[in-house]
Amino acid sequence: MTDKKSARMRIDMALIVKIRKRLDNFELNTDIQTDDDILALSGASGAGKTMILKCIAGIATPDSGYISLNGRVLFDSEKKINLKEKIKKKDTIIN
């Protein structure tokens, strides 16, 4: 595999999360970019880990920012893209 093709594949497999969301006690400001298969979020209780996952899943909406997964834009506040409603209609979320 050529380096150019390998780089393109990594971009297509990427998770990009650059969001802001105002919570009760603080403003969550996240900047995550990874092309790894596994991502771990760590932090103190109440630090916003679950909120980040909810925003990625489309359960919660960020106040602003950008989320893309595997090259597909899930949320972009500037372009007014939010796939939250489509995700809820198609998939069942089990807690």
Side-chain angles (χ1 to χ4, degrees):
M1 187 179 304
T2 66
D3 288 334
K4 193 173 191 178
K5 186 175 180 182
S6 177
R8 188 174 65 242
M9 287 179 67
R10 280 197 305 269
I11 291 170
D12 291 343
M13 301 279 297
L15 171 65
I16 301 170
V17 181
K18 295 182 178 187
I19 58 171
R20 288 181 181 249
K21 179 145 181 85
R22 184 78 188 141
L23 303 173
D24 291 337
N25 299 328
F26 65 97
E27 183 176 271
L28 180 64
N29 185 5
T30 304
D31 188 346
I32 300 169
Q33 292 188 26
T34 183
D35 59 0
D36 293 331
D37 292 335
I38 298 172
L39 172 68
L41 299 177
S42 64
S45 178
K49 301 175 299 291
T50 301
M51 184 56 67
I52 292 168
L53 295 174
K54 285 181 177 181
C55 289
I56 294 169
I59 298 168
T61 302
D63 296 332
S64 64
Y66 178 87
I67 301 171
S68 73
L69 178 62
N70 298 336
R72 181 179 180 198
V73 177
L74 303 177
F75 178 82
D76 188 333
S77 59
E78 289 183 8
K79 294 182 179 178
K80 302 199 184 322
I81 297 171
N82 186 356
L83 297 185
K84 176 179 178 177
E85 294 301 318
K86 291 179 183 177
I87 291 171
K88 280 188 170 183
K89 289 178 184 175
K90 285 183 170 180
D91 300 329
T92 302
I93 299 168
I94 301 171
N95 289 329

